[in-house]
Structures are given as C-alpha cells and as structure tokens.
Amino acid sequence: MPQRQNLKPALADTLRALRNDVQSGATVPHGVKTVQPGEGLQLVPPEGGAEIFWDWETANSVEQRIQDGTALIAQAQATLAQTEQELQSAQDRIGRVAAGEIEKIDGHIIINGTVDLPALNVTGELSTAIVRALDVEARRGIFTEGLTAQDSTLLGTTVAEVINAGTVATRIMTSGLLQTTTAANRGVKIDNAGIRAWDDTGRQTVNLDGKSNYITGTFATAEKEQRVEIKSGGSIAAADFYGSGQTIDHLGVWHQADLGVDTVSKMISFNQTAQHANSPGVLMYPFRGEVALAGRWARESDTLKMFYIQNNNGMGEGMWADTVYTYATPFTTTYSLRFPFLSVETETGRECTVGIIEQTEKYLKLRIVNKSSGSTGKFIVRGVVFNANSQIYGRYW
C-alpha cells in the first residue's frame, strides 16, 4: 500500500522564494491582463536585450496594424505576379527574335537611336512628341508645305480664305484688306489704298492715303463743356471755342460763302444759342474789300478811350474855361502815340470851341471858349483818344 507524501512546500522554502522575488525587483506576469487608458506593461529579459512595452494605445491598435500588414503582403504578391508575367513576355519576344522572326519588319533594325522603316504607324501621341522636338522653322515647313488658298493651318504662316474669329490677339498683322463689312461703299476699309469710311448713305467721309487726306463731320476735343469744335455744313465752315462748362457763351470763327458780295468771314463772341445784333466781333467781306465791327466800343481800353463832359450852367458871351479830364485807367507808355478828337455841342447852338492845352497818358487838359455873342446855355464836350503804335515797320504789300 503506497505511503502518503506531503507535497506542500516547507515554510522555509516559501519564505526564501518570497525574499528572492522582493530582492530581484522582477515580476512574472501570467494570465490575461486588462490594460486601461494611461496604464502600461514593460517586459525586460533577465539577461538584458530588447525591452517590450505595451500600453493601452499599442494594445488597441494591434488589430489595425495586422490588417495593414496583411494588405501590404497581398499587394506585394500581386506586383510580383505581374512582374513575373512581363518577364515571361519579354522572354517570349527574345525567343522570337532568336528564332528568325525579325523578317516581319523587312530586316530593318534600330541603329543609333533612329528608326529605318519603309512603313511606320505613327500615333497621335508620337506625332505630338515629334512636333515638340522641332524648332520654329522646322514646324513652319511641316505645317505650311503644299497649302492652298482654301487651307487654314495655324503655325508660323496662316493661309486661309476666310477666318471667322471672335477675338484675335496678335503682335503683327499683315493683310491685303481689313473691313467691317463686305458691302461696297459702307463701313470702314483698310488696304493698300489707305483708310476709307462711308456713312449710311454711301458718301465717303474718311480718306487717309498719305496724299489726299480728309475726314468730314464734326470734331471736338471733348464731348461737352470746355472744348473746341470744328465742323462744316452747307456753305459754312466753322470752329467754336468753349472756354468753360457753359455751352452758350463762346467764340465762333466761321466763313459763310455763296452769298455773292455778302460773303463774309466772321469772328464773333456771343452768349446765346445764335448770333444776334449785340454780339461783338469782326466781319470781313472779301468781295467788297471791307472790314466791319459788330457790337459797341468799350469806353476804356489800351487802344482807345471815350468820354464826355457836361456843363448845365453854360457860358456867357466871350467867356472861356479850363478843365482836366483824367482817364479811369492810364494809357500804356510803351510805343504809344495818342490821337485825340474833340467836339462841343451847345444847347442854344452858339459857336463854341475846345482845344487841348496838355495831354499825357493819364489825363487831358482842355480849354473851352464861347466865341458867340450870347450865352451857350448847357453844353457837352465829347472826346475820343486813339492809341497807335509809334513804331513804323514799313509797308506790308
């Protein structure tokens, strides 16, 4: 009968094992370990070597890493299979060449990077590559060789009967004819004869050929307000000068023909839509040889001065009086030669005279004498002084 044995470790042995575990500082994980966020597990071999550290993030992503690795392995296997197939195809072609099948291209081979073939199937991709490799002159030769007037090839030289384009941007354009319409005597046409334009009635209004140039119509330096306008119509050719934003007061210079002896050239300044009697200006009648002035003389200017002196008391028989008339603005003294003209009008019709005692650029000193045998009654002295240039420049004809 077998004897019963005590398999429990002795107490001393148990204490000794616990002491060794405490002194070694090592732990021996066994079983299933649950790792929470923020926790980790480090495995250290007793004899040194690579350490393994597992934390919550690592443990949580192991499954995804295994799936990624599996996918990479599958992709590598597919690539290896394709490579093996291509190697087999290349080996077949090498075998065909070695077997003498090269006669399928009539014995022609590739030499020094060129192809010497009597026939070649050129794809669109190959054509594009060839054109890109050529310089501009070579491209021009390829794309324009043998063109007719009905062809339209757009490289270097374009030969086309008709091109219908919405927008064309170019640096240089050479053309036999540019026109806005194909209709005769309409629109604008540019050719070797120059630039020509017609209105809606077929009347030519523009001709610029370098010899006989003209543009008809109205020309202005601005659309409105301050501007200069040049225009013609009927028998009148005119230029109007507007010096401000006003469109009424301005200066007009024009010539009105076809009036016989009344043909006139005018330079008029007026403040209405049309010239009127009070508009000042100069009128010249070429057939008459006359010059006329329109408007009224200014009383004070550097050219002339006008004045009158009135005496309501009159002078008795044989009386005389001296008086001085001072100009509102003096005459200029540069090359000035003044010519005064004076007259006396008496209320009773008595004879009375006026003379000049002294004159300067600032005033006139006058003497008025009653030469009659009775009273003059009220009298008026009128005067005008013209200022002429004192220099003589000779004849002009």
Side-chain angles (χ1 to χ4, degrees):
M1 182 176 197
Q3 295 182 356
R4 180 175 177 270
Q5 295 182 358
N6 184 10
L7 298 179
K8 294 182 178 180
L11 179 61
D13 294 334
T14 301
L15 293 176
R16 188 179 299 107
L18 291 173
R19 184 194 62 186
N20 291 336
D21 290 341
V22 172
Q23 290 178 348
S24 67
T27 61
V28 182
H30 297 284
V32 177
K33 302 293 183 182
T34 301
V35 182
Q36 300 294 331
E39 296 181 347
L41 178 64
Q42 185 176 6
L43 302 178
V44 181
E47 301 300 330
E51 297 181 1
I52 300 175
F53 180 80
W54 291 81
D55 57 6
W56 179 83
E57 288 81 3
T58 302
N60 198 41
S61 63
V62 167
E63 180 66 23
Q64 182 62 43
R65 294 185 180 183
I66 293 174
Q67 293 177 2
D68 294 343
T70 303
L72 290 174
I73 293 172
Q75 182 179 0
Q77 289 175 344
T79 302
L80 289 174
Q82 181 180 358
T83 302
E84 182 179 1
Q85 182 179 359
E86 292 178 355
L87 288 174
Q88 182 62 44
S89 176
Q91 185 175 2
D92 292 343
R93 289 196 297 272
I94 293 173
R96 290 171 60 196
V97 172
E101 295 182 3
I102 193 171
E103 66 271 13
K104 288 186 176 180
I105 54 175
D106 299 330
H108 297 277
I109 59 175
I110 299 176
I111 303 175
N112 296 329
T114 64
V115 178
D116 183 12
L117 295 174
L120 179 63
N121 183 18
V122 180
T123 63
E125 182 178 359
L126 179 58
S127 299
T128 302
I130 293 174
V131 171
R132 288 177 178 174
L134 298 177
D135 59 17
V136 174
E137 292 299 326
R139 295 182 191 182
R140 182 178 291 112
I142 290 176
F143 285 94
T144 60
E145 182 70 24
L147 290 179
T148 66
Q150 285 72 34
D151 294 325
S152 177
T153 304
L154 303 176
L155 182 63
T157 300
T158 299
V159 179
E161 190 67 24
V162 176
I163 297 179
N164 186 6
T167 300
V168 177
T170 179
R171 291 179 297 174
I172 298 175
M173 178 177 288
T174 302
S175 174
L177 173 64
L178 294 177
Q179 59 185 4
T180 59
T181 177
T182 57
N185 299 332
R186 291 293 188 276
V188 179
K189 301 183 189 301
I190 303 175
D191 54 20
N192 289 334
I195 302 175
R196 294 162 295 150
W198 292 263
D199 61 15
D200 293 339
T201 64
R203 183 175 66 96
Q204 186 171 353
T205 57
V206 176
N207 185 76
L208 300 176
D209 59 5
K211 297 175 293 184
S212 301
N213 304 303
Y214 63 84
I215 301 177
T216 63
T218 298
F219 302 89
T221 58
E223 181 181 1
K224 57 185 179 178
E225 297 185 346
Q226 186 178 19
R227 66 193 185 278
V228 178
E229 287 187 359
I230 302 175
K231 51 195 171 184
S232 63
S235 62
I236 296 178
D240 288 306
F241 301 83
Y242 299 87
S244 67
Q246 297 292 331
T247 58
I248 295 180
D249 57 332
H250 67 285
L251 174 69
V253 178
W254 67 91
H255 180 74
Q256 185 173 359
D258 300 332
L259 297 177
V261 295
D262 292 328
T263 292
V264 60
S265 298
K266 302 178 182 181
M267 182 172 63
I268 300 293
S269 179
F270 50 96
N271 62 354
Q272 301 294 329
T273 56
Q275 174 193 351
H276 55 84
N278 293 327
S279 298
V282 179
L283 309 179
M284 293 168 285
Y285 299 91
F287 291 119
R288 302 181 190 178
E290 296 176 351
V291 175
L293 301 176
R296 298 178 297 275
W297 289 103
R299 294 186 61 178
E300 287 285 335
S301 71
D302 189 50
T303 302
L304 63 86
K305 299 184 187 299
M306 294 177 288
F307 64 91
Y308 73 93
I309 302 172
Q310 180 173 319
N311 185 297
N312 294 326
N313 297 323
M315 290 189 296
E317 178 184 354
M319 292 183 63
W320 58 272
D322 290 344
T323 185
V324 175
Y325 179 81
T326 302
Y327 304 127
T329 56
F331 280 109
T332 178
T333 58
T334 303
Y335 305 123
S336 290
L337 186 60
R338 297 174 298 276
F339 295 90
F341 296 88
L342 307 172
S343 67
V344 180
E345 302 173 14
T346 63
E347 184 180 28
T348 60
R350 302 289 183 177
E351 181 182 2
C352 193
T353 62
V354 59
I356 298 174
I357 299 176
E358 180 184 4
Q359 72 157 313
T360 69
E361 72 278 4
K362 297 180 180 179
Y363 62 85
L364 279 176
K365 187 174 183 181
L366 308 176
R367 176 164 291 176
I368 306 167
V369 180
N370 181 6
K371 308 199 103 185
S372 68
S373 57
S375 175
T376 62
K378 181 176 70 174
F379 67 88
I380 298 175
V381 177
R382 302 181 187 274
V384 58
V385 182
F386 293 94
N387 186 16
N389 196 327
S390 63
Q391 301 297 308
I392 298 178
Y393 297 99
R395 295 178 180 271
Y396 294 96
W397 59 84

